[in-house]
């Protein structure tokens, strides 16, 4: 009887149960359904799914008879609690890992900045340190983007824009930079994002270093296209273009920048790189779609 329900149902659940019953009786709900705690004969509290529906009404429209079921859902409820606790633990762990990674990248950058101050008269070593700082900054930027998105796929336009912003600050104040980056819905997963960040970082480094724009107005364009299998990224500047020996594949006097661009794109991103001159230097990247 209803007295059994009232006697053994947890007091905190009785009120909500009564509200739902009233809504069913008033015609607001087609049927009654509620999950409540009930006291077992052993004395412990178990979870019960309570379902019911009125099937006989009085002449004046009041409920007369209803039928329903009680189902023990204790195991399911306990599993839900465990999953929730696990999810909370994982969220805390991810936040801690993200925090430590960011701190470590910041610490490495700080050390490099100190070393940079010691190398004011050594131009070659100074350039090497600056390039290392830029690489770490690009990794830090993509890490922040991935962390903010809970490590979900990143929009490719946003990734390019974020890396490009850091390079605008490195250009001589007497020059200006005009960035033109295509908007795309295309996304890359977290693995591709980290690797692509390094590649784009190296391309921008080369553009800043070698473009030598006479008009002191540097224009960088990024075009993004795709098909069902690949993503195509074309980066172009309005500088003097590549020397012929670089077009021919001789990077012996350029440091490791080109080796990183080709190595990461071909091996890690399963793609290819073409460099050419067309009213400036042009980098054509093709990477295999992962999503």
């Amino acid at each position: 009887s209803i007295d059994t329900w009232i006697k053994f149902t947890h007091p905190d659940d009785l009120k909500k149960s009564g509200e739902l019953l009233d809504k069913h009786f008033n015609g607001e709900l087609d049927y009654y359904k509620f999950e409540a705690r009930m006291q077992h004969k052993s004395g412990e509290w178990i979870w019960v799914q309570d379902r019911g529906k009125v099937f006989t009404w009085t002449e004046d429209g009041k409920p007369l008879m209803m039928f329903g079921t009680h189902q023990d859902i204790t195991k399911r409820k306990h599993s839900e609690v465990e999953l929730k606790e696990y999810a909370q633990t994982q969220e805390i762990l991810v936040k801690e890992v993200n925090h430590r990674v960011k701190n470590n990248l910041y610490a490495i950058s700080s050390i490099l900045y100190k070393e940079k101050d010691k190398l004011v008269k050594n131009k070659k070593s100074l350039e090497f340190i600056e390039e290392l700082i830029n690489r770490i900054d690009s990794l830090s930027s993509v890490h922040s983007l991935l962390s903010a998105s809970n490590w979900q796929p990143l929009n490719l336009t946003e990734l390019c824009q974020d890396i490009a912003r850091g390079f605008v600050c490195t250009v001589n104040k007497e020059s200006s930079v005009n960035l033109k980056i295509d908007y795309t819905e295309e996304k890359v997963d977290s693995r591709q994002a980290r690797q692509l960040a390094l590649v784009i970082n190296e391309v921008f480094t080369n553009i800043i270093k070698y473009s030598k724009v006479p008009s002191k107005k540097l224009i960088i364009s990024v075009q993004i296209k795709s098909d069902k299998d690949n993503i195509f990224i074309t980066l172009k500047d309005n500088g003097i273009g590549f020397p012929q020996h670089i077009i021919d594949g001789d990077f012996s006097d350029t440091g490791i920048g080109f080796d990183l661009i080709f190595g990461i794109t071909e091996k890690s991103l399963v793609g290819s790189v073409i460099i050419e001159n067309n009213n400036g230097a042009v980098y054509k990247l093709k990477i295999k779609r992962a999503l």
Side-chain angles (χ1 to χ4, degrees):
S1 70
I2 191 65
D3 293 333
T4 306
W5 173 253
I6 294 173
K7 180 178 180 181
F8 293 107
T9 302
H10 195 287
D12 293 345
D13 297 333
L14 272 176
K15 182 179 179 181
K16 180 63 176 177
S17 170
E19 291 173 352
L20 291 174
L21 275 172
D22 288 339
K23 287 184 177 181
H24 174 52
F25 296 158
N26 294 332
E28 296 177 47
L29 297 175
D30 291 335
Y31 58 89
Y32 161 81
K33 180 180 177 182
F34 186 58
E35 295 178 358
R37 290 160 288 181
M38 293 191 73
Q39 193 167 29
H40 194 272
K41 63 182 178 181
S42 65
E44 66 176 326
W45 291 97
I46 65 171
W47 281 94
V48 170
Q49 186 178 73
D50 186 25
R51 293 170 177 246
K53 184 173 183 178
V54 175
F55 68 95
T56 304
W57 302 82
T58 63
E59 292 182 359
D60 57 352
K62 294 182 179 179
L64 182 63
M65 298 282 289
M66 73 181 296
F67 68 90
T69 60
H70 279 176
Q71 180 183 1
D72 187 342
I73 58 169
T74 306
K75 288 184 179 179
R76 194 200 81 195
K77 295 294 286 189
H78 286 172
S79 296
E80 288 176 357
V81 171
E82 290 173 1
L83 284 173
K84 185 177 180 180
E85 291 175 349
Y86 175 77
Q88 290 173 340
T89 301
Q90 293 303 302
E91 184 179 357
I92 293 171
L93 180 61
V94 168
K95 286 182 178 179
E96 178 63 20
V97 170
N98 286 339
H99 179 69
R100 292 191 180 191
V101 169
K102 290 172 72 174
N103 281 350
N104 287 338
L105 289 172
Y106 177 76
I108 294 171
S109 292
S110 298
I111 293 170
L112 290 173
Y113 274 115
K114 288 184 179 180
E115 290 300 314
K116 177 183 174 182
D117 293 338
K118 299 176 184 178
L119 297 171
V120 176
K121 296 182 180 180
N122 191 330
K123 185 177 180 181
K124 190 171 182 180
S125 297
L126 188 61
E127 287 181 355
F128 177 72
I129 293 291
E130 288 175 341
E131 288 176 3
L132 282 178
I133 291 173
N134 286 337
R135 289 175 188 130
I136 292 169
D137 286 346
S138 70
L139 286 174
S140 181
S141 293
V142 73
H143 179 84
S144 296
L145 286 174
L146 287 167
S147 177
S149 68
N150 291 319
W151 296 87
Q152 296 300 306
L154 289 182
N155 179 275
L156 194 48
T157 298
E158 292 178 9
L159 176 63
C160 292
Q161 288 174 337
D162 200 68
I163 297 170
R165 287 190 197 102
F167 277 90
V168 172
C169 300
T170 67
V171 180
N172 191 301
K173 291 182 179 179
E174 296 177 1
S175 304
S176 62
V177 180
N178 184 7
L179 286 170
K180 299 178 180 179
I181 302 177
D182 280 359
Y183 178 77
T184 179
E185 296 289 343
E186 201 67 49
K187 293 184 178 182
V188 290
D189 63 23
S190 59
R191 178 188 63 83
Q192 284 183 311
R194 295 193 302 271
Q195 294 163 346
L196 197 53
L198 285 172
V199 172
I200 296 173
N201 174 83
E202 295 305 321
V203 172
F204 281 130
T205 298
N206 287 347
I207 289 174
I208 299 299
K209 186 187 296 185
Y210 301 119
S211 60
K212 298 179 182 178
V213 182
S215 65
K216 297 187 181 297
K217 185 175 180 62
L218 177 61
I219 300 174
I220 305 173
S221 65
V222 182
Q223 296 178 332
I224 304 169
K225 297 181 180 180
S226 62
D227 59 24
K228 65 177 183 178
D229 298 317
N230 302 291
I231 300 173
F232 305 92
I233 307 171
T234 301
L235 302 100
K236 185 180 183 303
D237 66 41
N238 64 329
I240 62 175
F242 296 110
Q244 188 58 45
H245 69 278
I246 290 181
I247 295 290
D248 295 337
D250 178 7
F251 309 129
S252 57
D253 63 346
T254 62
I256 66 170
F258 281 100
D259 291 331
L260 285 173
I261 292 170
F262 279 83
I264 294 174
T265 304
E266 293 174 351
K267 295 178 182 178
S268 300
L269 293 169
V270 195
S272 62
V273 182
I274 296 175
I275 56 174
E276 61 186 28
N277 289 327
N278 184 6
N279 296 318
V282 181
Y283 300 76
K284 294 182 177 180
L285 311 177
K286 181 181 79 171
I287 65 174
K288 190 172 182 61
R289 183 193 295 278
L291 299 175

